[in-house]
Amino acid sequence: MMGRPVQHLLLLGIVMLFTLSSNMLYVLGINYSASNASYLLKIHPSSYVFFFLILISPSITSSPRRPELKRCGLLLIMVSTASLLLYQFFSVEAGGGESSLLIVTYAATGALAVALSYADTITLRQMKRFVSLFLLCNSLIGIAETSGFPRILPYVVGETIIGFDNRPTALLGHPLNNALITGAWCLVILLSNFRTPLNFWRLTVLGVHMIALLAFGGRAAVVVAALSYTCFVAYQATTTFLKGDSRDIIRLAKLCIIAGAGVPILVYSGAADTVIERFLDSRGSDETRSAALVMLDLLSPGQWLFGVPVSVRTSIQALLGSTRGIEISWIALVYSFGLPITAIVLVATYLTLRATTEEHDMGRAALLFYFFLTTLLSLSIGSKSLLVAQFLVILACFAKPLEAPPLIHAGPKSRRPNFYDARSIGI
């Protein structure tokens, strides 16, 4: 295992990963998203921390606690690095993708996976506490911004401040990023409730996150989260009735009743107005996705292999009326780097995320299904994004610990919730 100073450095990188959104970096005066910025500034600060951990960990660590996660993380680093070299060699003139995308979105995620494979129980527990508290604050801020309070951070896309979109940005930046991560955390809380007895405080926190998820207006996140949980409940119900465990059957019935009662309350209270409005008026998002599918027919064999020049891509988007971008991530990656690079990077990413939790259960399958379907239906991981690394951390929070936490107090447990305990705030 890594020494405590290195474990603290890993925690610092995770804190930076969630708190330093592109909006926050804009406020701090760092040209992270500017096209004319220095290349070093285009790499996220947390990426430097994770790469530094890769450099120093071999000399001060023993064998990893999760060897499979380390192997897959190294694979993702190698695939991303090879893809970057191929892109620079073959596509530097033909392709239009930004090379920092491969570093921030994918290579840095691989470095984080390697570092997490050495994380001890104390570090993982502290990580869960931070993520739980941060996402709870993020959801409360999102709800407040929806209720009329001013934004804490400006809504920035690239180098432009967006003024026409009134959806909340909270701390994670883009509303869709907020929706995707919040939806993933809602699933973590719901799925974790099948492992432990139901808790009123935990369900209250879940309600806050669900309201925020609707407030962020992410249609795909809402629909796919509901679909993922429905499939999981159906599977759980089948196995529960086959086992005949009355306690599991009662717990499952309670969760279904709570969900059934919660949906109409959220709808009729007005909390779901933002997402309902997005279903009624997508403001061009649906047309942009349809144009992205049409764009595949316009690719030549060479462009399938090496990507499309920026000037050609801009002309195609203007021709199809898709000036807002390519809002399907894998198509954006194909246009940037070509199909071979896109395929190997996405496969390596899937293997890395899959190795984060060693349990081969439906809970992990539901989370992975949610993440890939929601990200494939938006630009998200088809651009320079922190979403993959953030979801990797969320999966690590969902994973069962490899060893039990130390026994601190053998007396009766207090009924008061401990706000510094991750289990009291959602998991």
Side-chain angles (χ1 to χ4, degrees):
M1 294 185 294
M2 297 184 290
R4 292 315 307 166
V6 183
Q7 298 277 352
H8 292 156
L9 186 59
L10 171 59
L11 288 172
L12 174 63
I14 292 173
V15 170
M16 294 168 66
L17 177 69
F18 281 88
T19 57
L20 295 181
S21 65
S22 58
N23 299 29
M24 178 63 77
L25 292 174
Y26 178 87
V27 171
L28 296 175
I30 300 175
N31 294 326
Y32 173 70
S33 301
S35 58
N36 59 349
S38 166
Y39 194 83
L40 293 177
L41 292 178
K42 292 184 178 182
I43 307 300
H44 194 269
S46 65
S47 301
Y48 289 111
V49 175
F50 301 141
F51 289 132
F52 180 69
L53 287 172
I54 290 291
L55 293 177
I56 67 173
S57 59
S59 61
I60 57 176
T61 58
S62 57
S63 58
R65 300 173 75 245
R66 293 186 182 272
E68 182 65 21
L69 180 58
K70 178 183 178 181
R71 287 193 293 268
C72 291
L74 290 173
L75 173 65
L76 183 55
I77 294 174
M78 291 186 291
V79 164
S80 302
T81 304
S83 299
L84 180 60
L85 294 175
L86 288 173
Y87 168 73
Q88 294 291 350
F89 185 76
F90 289 106
S91 307
V92 67
E93 294 182 357
E98 187 181 13
S99 55
S100 60
L101 184 163
L102 291 170
I103 298 175
V104 174
T105 308
Y106 299 103
T109 300
L112 172 60
V114 175
L116 280 174
S117 70
Y118 289 98
D120 59 22
T121 304
I122 297 175
T123 299
L124 293 175
R125 191 184 303 122
Q126 291 171 338
M127 180 186 71
K128 289 180 182 180
R129 291 170 183 169
F130 163 73
V131 173
S132 300
L133 285 170
F134 174 83
L135 291 181
L136 179 58
C137 292
N138 189 69
S139 290
L140 289 172
I141 292 171
I143 295 171
E145 291 179 352
T146 304
S147 302
F149 286 84
R151 285 185 175 134
I152 290 182
L153 299 174
Y155 186 179
V156 181
V157 175
E159 304 164 66
T160 306
I161 296 181
I162 304 298
F164 61 84
D165 195 335
N166 59 359
R167 288 178 296 171
T169 55
L171 299 175
L172 288 173
H174 196 286
L176 294 184
N177 293 352
N178 276 286
L180 194 151
I181 294 298
T182 304
W185 195 246
C186 286
L187 279 176
V188 167
I189 298 175
L190 285 165
L191 300 178
S192 298
N193 272 306
F194 282 91
R195 297 176 177 171
T196 57
L198 294 179
N199 177 282
F200 175 78
W201 173 249
R202 188 182 297 126
L203 293 175
T204 302
V205 171
L206 174 62
V208 172
H209 287 303
M210 291 182 67
I211 294 172
L213 173 60
L214 298 174
F216 290 128
R219 296 173 298 164
V222 171
V223 172
V224 179
L227 180 61
S228 302
Y229 188 66
T230 300
C231 293
F232 176 82
V233 167
Y235 170 83
Q236 194 74 19
T238 303
T239 56
T240 296
F241 282 108
L242 290 177
K243 292 177 182 178
D245 190 330
S246 59
R247 291 174 299 178
D248 287 343
I249 293 174
I250 293 173
R251 183 185 306 172
L252 183 64
K254 288 180 179 179
L255 286 171
C256 291
I257 292 172
I258 292 171
V263 171
I265 292 174
L266 290 173
V267 172
Y268 288 107
S269 66
D273 287 352
T274 302
V275 74
I276 291 174
E277 180 183 349
R278 293 289 295 178
F279 275 107
L280 297 176
D281 181 10
S282 65
R283 299 178 184 175
S285 294
D286 293 338
E287 291 78 6
T288 301
R289 292 185 176 93
S290 300
L293 294 173
V294 175
M295 290 171 72
L296 290 177
D297 293 333
L298 304 178
L299 290 172
S300 66
Q303 290 170 342
W304 275 105
L305 288 174
F306 304 119
V308 181
V310 175
S311 57
V312 176
R313 187 191 317 171
T314 304
S315 300
I316 293 175
Q317 290 177 211
L319 178 65
L320 298 176
S322 179
T323 55
R324 297 178 58 183
I326 306 174
E327 293 196 16
I328 298 181
S329 60
W330 66 273
I331 297 179
L333 288 171
V334 169
Y335 260 71
S336 296
F337 305 107
L339 181 60
I341 287 179
T342 297
I344 60 175
V345 167
L346 289 182
V347 169
T349 300
Y350 167 76
L351 293 175
T352 303
L353 294 176
R354 187 174 181 272
T356 307
T357 59
E358 296 182 350
E359 303 82 19
H360 300 280
D361 59 14
M362 280 296 294
R364 181 182 70 172
L367 283 167
L368 289 174
F369 172 78
Y370 165 83
F371 178 75
F372 279 100
L373 193 53
T374 50
T375 53
L376 292 179
L377 293 175
S378 60
L379 178 58
S380 59
I381 62 174
S383 63
K384 186 170 65 174
S385 171
L386 305 175
L387 283 173
V388 184
Q390 289 170 343
F391 186 73
L392 178 72
V393 172
I394 287 176
L395 275 175
C397 291
F398 176 70
K400 295 178 182 177
L402 294 182
E403 61 187 54
L407 185 61
I408 298 176
H409 177 53
K413 294 183 178 180
S414 171
R415 294 183 178 274
R416 292 183 61 187
N418 177 7
F419 291 91
Y420 296 98
D421 187 350
R423 289 172 295 179
S424 71
I425 46 183
I427 59 176

